[in-house]
Amino acid sequence: MRSAIRAVGLAIAAVLLFAAGAPSARADELDSAKAAGQVGERPDGYLGVVSASAPASARALVDSVNAKRRDKYAEIAKQNGTAVDAVAALMGEKLIDRTPAGQYVMGADARWVKK
């Protein structure tokens, strides 16, 4: 069990390194949407739209990023023989921890809070 947790942790680290890699237009767009308070990190490892008044482009960005995350989480889960939800939740923890002050994260009570 301990080795499985370690393997998942290493896979998560790989995802974080991949996500922090070379800047792209999509990464810049995501950073801007987060800084504007339009999107935030959820504890389930996915992005969410913070406000109902967020523009359609923010919603499309959330959908696109979440689809890529879902695929990556599934790949990691398969490699490690664990559930996709477990990988996503672990990643959610890490992404929320890495979120800078001033950006939004979803709390355990499902409410958005500015970190």
Side-chain angles (χ1 to χ4, degrees), residues 10-98:
L10 291 173
I12 296 293
V15 170
L16 287 173
L17 289 174
F18 175 76
S24 68
R26 183 59 58 151
D28 290 343
E29 188 180 355
L30 178 57
D31 289 344
S32 294
K34 285 182 172 183
Q38 297 170 342
V39 303
E41 293 292 347
R42 299 184 331 208
D44 64 358
Y46 297 98
L47 289 173
V49 177
V50 174
S51 169
S53 63
S57 60
R59 293 175 192 287
L61 178 63
V62 165
D63 291 343
S64 173
V65 170
N66 284 345
K68 289 178 183 157
R69 286 185 181 183
R70 200 171 297 112
D71 291 345
K72 192 64 175 173
Y73 298 162
E75 179 184 325
I76 293 167
K78 184 177 180 181
Q79 290 171 350
N80 292 284
T82 190
V84 174
D85 289 346
V87 173
L90 182 58
M91 194 62 187
E93 253 182 71
K94 300 219 178 272
L95 289 166
I96 286 173
D97 287 346
R98 290 182 42 171

